Structure formats: C-alpha cells, structure tokens
Amino acid sequence: MKYVNKVILLFFTVITFINCNKDDINTTVRSISPESGPKETVVSIQGDGFGADMNKVSVYFNGKEAEVLTVSESTITAKVPVKAFTGLVKVIVNGIESIGSKFTYIISEVNTSLIAGSGTAGYLDGTGAVAQFNIPIGLTIDSQDNLFVSEYGNNRIRKITPTGVVTTIAGSGISGTNDAFGVAAQFNRPWGITIDTQDNLYVADYGNHTIRKITTSGAVSTIAGVPGTSGNTDGIGANAQFYFPAGIISDSQGKLYVADTSNHRIRMVETSTGNVTTVTGSAAGSVDGSTSDAQFNRPFGITIDGEGNLFIADTNNRTIRKITPSGTVTTLAGSSTNTGDIDGIGDNARFSTMFGITIDANNNLYIPDYGNQKIKSISPNGLVTTLAGSTVGYVEGSGTVAQFKSPYIIAVDSDNNLIVADTYNHRIRKIVIE
C-alpha cells in the first residue's frame, strides 16, 4: 500500500510540475517578414513557444509597442506602430522576452507646419502666427515640451508652450551684458541654448563671449567667460575666455559642452564650479584622430547621445564630426573639400552650410542645411537623407513641398517631432515624421 501511495504521489508531482511549467517554455523568435516597411505594415513573426493567448503576448518594434493581430504557437502577426523607426523586434510571452532581428522602418510621411511667428521680423508676444520673432537662432525643449528660443536679433529668450503661446522670459531687448531677473537682464546676440535636468537654461551669449545661466525663477547670471572680451583660456568663471561661443548642450552629469566657434575648439564647462576645459581642437583645419590632434573649422552646432558621444556640425568644413568619450574624433558625413547637395553615405554626402544639429532617441541625427534650404537626417551608419525643403521660401506641406528660408537650428521633442528655427522666415516650425 505504501508503494502504491508513493507511485500516486510521484504521478501527481510530475503532473503538477508539467502544469506549472507549461508557461515557462522558451520563447524564440526565428524570423520576421517583411523586414522593412512603413507604419502599419503587418509583420509576420515566426518562432516557437508563442502559445495561443493573445492577452499574454506583447510585441515591440524598436521599443514601441505594436498592435498584436493574431497569435499561434509558431506565428504572431503585428502591426508596425507609427514612429517606431528602425530597431529590433522584441516579443514578450508571459513575461519572457525574446529578441528578433532588426526591422527597418521606412518613412512614409514628412509634414511641416507652423508653431509660431508671423514671418515679419519684430517683437511681439502672443499665440501662434500672432507672435513675432527677430532671427530666432537657438532652441531647446523641456520635459513638458515647452520650447525655449534664443533670439539673435531681439537679444531675448522666449518661451513657447505646447499650445503655441509665446512669452518673454529674459532679456530687455537692448544689447548688453547685465545679470538680473527676467526682462531686466541683457544679452548680446545670444546663440545656442540648452536645458539641464532641473530645467535651468544655459545660453551661449555669442556677442559677449560668455556662458549665461537662467534659473527657473528667471535669475540670469554669467557662469564663465569675460563679457566683451574674447580669448582662449581655460579656467574658472571669469578666468576663462571664449571667442564667439555658439552651440551648447548639457549632459546628465551637470556638464555643458560648447562649440567655441572662432577658437575652433570644443570646450567643457562644469556648471557647479564654472570650470572650463578644452575637450579638443586647436587651429582651423580638418583632422581626425585623438582629441589632442583633431582640428575643426568654425564649429557651430553640438549635440550629445545617451552614451556621451558628441556630434559636431563643423560648419566651415561642411562635415559632421563625432567625438567619443574615450577621445577619438572621426568624420561621420560630408566632405571638407567639396560643397554641394548630395544625399549618400559618409564622405559621399555633400552639404552646403550647417549651423545646427540634434539627435533623437534612436541615434538619428538631424541638421538644417542652411545653404541648401533643407532639413536632412543622418542615420547611425552615416546615411544622409533629405527629409524636407527645396528652394528658399515659405511653404507648409509634405516633404520637399515645404520651403524654408535659412533654417539654422533644430531640436527633437518627446514624440520625435522635429522643431526648426526657420531663422530668416522669423518663424518656429514643426516637422512630423511618420
């Protein structure tokens, strides 16, 4: 009898083990078809261990959740989400992840529209097309998708809410270098602007050769550089010198990186101390290599990715440069010896003049090609593609139907929309990519 009981107990133990582990069968993604397409493409995912319960299955394209259409043990069909962009396919079944191959997202729509600005150079707060700007030349975006614009022509810093309401947060409009609150402060042709994790703004005050800070309460101060005095000196606060600093970007560690344009250098500023050091660059030139050997020629634009790589719009070289955290400088796209308007990979691409650069969450770079009146993207492997723009003018619309007039600066919002300072149209525009 005891033997029979042991057999029965063993039987139920095995059955229980099998039932408890039915959901723990390994999930494997073997292939996807098709491997590329636009938004809403239906993709068939082949593999094993998917089960048959749609409620237990999730599919992600490049981290963006897709609509699951059907599920069987070996096949899932899912619809590519809007703005998924290129990346890996991931399947989750009962909390167990399986990573598949890369899906290449094909952009099917690029539409340009107005955010704010009347098109006439001036100064007026208001909503949308009622507002007026004068040479908007710097852009940054906070976590709530508020835009902050530096105005070269008005010597002011403006704010645009997600609903298009434009207000002035700093600057009297009179060229100068006064540290004060709000509109009592003075700037001299402010260029680049960036924001830190506490929503403090930092401005490359181009004409003053200084780096300025604007707190959330509107207090403006000078954290590095000597107002009105150009030079090339590392040091703390007013002991440091810049020579027409233009581009500026903040990282998550409280550091600013500055394109010190007329010094042909990339500088770093510690916001806690005001200490300025040189990252790379020396005399004007175009040399890749270590940061001690590299050369740039009037770099204006600068951005940073999540791994600390810097990307530079090396304006007079007509190239896009990369600086790794380990100190290696390379040329990602463009030619320092040839200007033009050619899409292509690496040094086969041609640009005219680029002042701005930004990067999205998928490590795609975007630049306004000022001289060609176009907005271009650069994939992580260096493929340059024209997204919007054609000849000089002002037209809203899709792709190359749109027209710009000397777009200088670009930023990316939380939904991967591009925000463009259409500088000599005196407008702020949005480009939606799908």
Side-chain angles (χ1 to χ4, degrees):
M1 188 67 178
K2 289 182 179 179
Y3 175 78
V4 173
N5 288 339
K6 286 182 180 180
V7 170
I8 293 172
L9 180 61
L10 178 61
F11 173 78
F12 279 107
T13 300
V14 170
I15 293 299
T16 302
F17 178 82
I18 291 172
N19 287 334
C20 288
N21 286 276
K22 279 196 299 184
D23 291 341
D24 293 337
I25 297 172
N26 286 335
T27 300
T28 303
V29 175
R30 288 187 276 103
S31 65
I32 63 171
S33 179
E35 295 181 339
S36 64
K39 62 179 182 179
E40 299 184 344
T41 297
V42 176
V43 175
S44 177
I45 304 167
Q46 303 297 316
D48 302 296
F50 297 150
D53 188 347
M54 193 180 298
N55 295 320
K56 295 182 179 180
V57 175
S58 300
V59 175
Y60 295 83
F61 287 78
N62 192 32
K64 194 159 190 176
E65 188 168 9
E67 178 186 357
V68 177
L69 304 176
T70 64
V71 175
S72 70
E73 183 66 23
S74 60
T75 304
I76 300 171
T77 60
K79 189 182 292 185
V80 175
V82 174
K83 296 187 178 182
F85 301 112
T86 298
L88 296 174
V89 175
K90 178 172 69 176
V91 173
I92 302 177
V93 180
N94 292 316
I96 299 173
E97 294 186 4
S98 179
I99 305 298
S101 57
K102 182 175 74 174
F103 180 84
T104 300
Y105 187 93
I106 297 173
I107 293 172
S108 58
E109 294 183 36
V110 179
N111 288 295
T112 303
S113 60
L114 177 70
I115 295 176
S118 68
T120 300
Y123 170 64
L124 183 64
D125 286 343
T127 301
V130 171
Q132 290 184 335
F133 299 91
N134 188 359
I135 314 181
I137 209 165
L139 281 173
T140 194
I141 305 176
D142 71 10
S143 59
Q144 304 302 310
D145 280 338
N146 295 295
L147 305 176
F148 297 89
V149 182
S150 55
E151 283 186 280
Y152 190 92
N154 276 329
N155 296 303
R156 289 180 167 102
I157 308 301
R158 315 281 289 279
K159 176 183 177 180
I160 310 175
T161 69
T163 58
V165 178
V166 180
T167 54
T168 302
I169 65 165
S172 67
I174 299 171
S175 177
T177 187
N178 188 37
D179 285 346
F181 275 88
V183 295
Q186 291 179 337
F187 299 87
N188 185 359
R189 294 174 288 163
W191 196 294
I193 185 170
T194 191
I195 194 165
D196 68 12
T197 54
Q198 279 74 49
D199 285 342
N200 298 298
L201 296 168
Y202 297 89
V203 179
D205 198 357
Y206 184 83
N208 278 323
H209 312 289
T210 55
I211 306 302
R212 314 285 292 279
K213 177 180 180 179
I214 308 173
T215 67
T216 55
S217 65
V220 178
S221 59
T222 301
I223 65 168
V226 182
T229 302
S230 63
N232 177 34
T233 304
D234 287 345
I236 297 175
N239 291 315
Q241 291 181 325
F242 299 88
Y243 192 7
F244 291 128
I248 188 169
I249 193 72
S250 60
D251 71 5
S252 60
Q253 307 301 314
K255 296 177 183 177
L256 304 173
Y257 293 91
V258 179
D260 192 5
T261 301
S262 291
N263 276 323
H264 315 289
R265 288 170 165 85
I266 307 302
R267 315 282 290 282
M268 189 268 285
V269 185
E270 295 178 7
T271 57
S272 59
T273 64
N275 188 41
V276 178
T277 54
T278 297
V279 176
T280 184
S282 54
S286 180
V287 177
D288 287 341
S290 67
T291 50
S292 59
D293 297 329
Q295 291 183 335
F296 300 82
N297 192 346
R298 289 186 62 77
F300 271 85
I302 187 167
T303 193
I304 191 169
D305 70 11
E307 297 179 352
N309 296 294
L310 296 170
F311 298 88
I312 314 298
D314 195 4
T315 304
N316 279 14
N317 278 325
R318 298 171 293 276
T319 54
I320 304 301
R321 314 285 292 281
K322 177 180 179 179
I323 308 169
T324 67
S326 63
T328 300
V329 179
T330 55
T331 300
L332 184 62
S335 168
S336 63
T337 57
N338 294 285
T339 186
D341 182 14
I342 300 174
D343 289 349
I345 293 179
D347 60 6
N348 291 314
R350 297 288 183 271
F351 304 101
S352 175
T353 309
M354 316 90 68
F355 290 105
I357 187 169
T358 193
I359 193 166
D360 69 12
N362 301 305
N363 289 330
N364 297 296
L365 295 166
Y366 301 93
I367 62 164
D369 193 346
Y370 162 95
N372 285 321
Q373 313 296 336
K374 294 178 177 177
I375 308 302
K376 299 190 175 186
S377 67
I378 307 173
S379 70
N381 69 350
L383 175 62
V384 178
T385 305
T386 297
L387 294 175
S390 53
T391 55
V392 64
Y394 174 69
V395 175
E396 307 291 6
S398 62
T400 56
V401 170
Q403 290 182 332
F404 301 87
K405 188 175 182 181
S406 304
Y408 267 65
I409 304 297
I410 193 165
V412 179
D413 72 11
S414 63
D415 199 29
N416 272 337
N417 300 308
L418 303 180
I419 311 300
V420 179
D422 192 4
T423 302
Y424 283 95
N425 271 323
H426 310 289
R427 290 176 165 108
I428 307 301
R429 319 257 307 263
K430 176 189 283 189
I431 302 175
V432 178
I433 302 172
E434 296 184 353

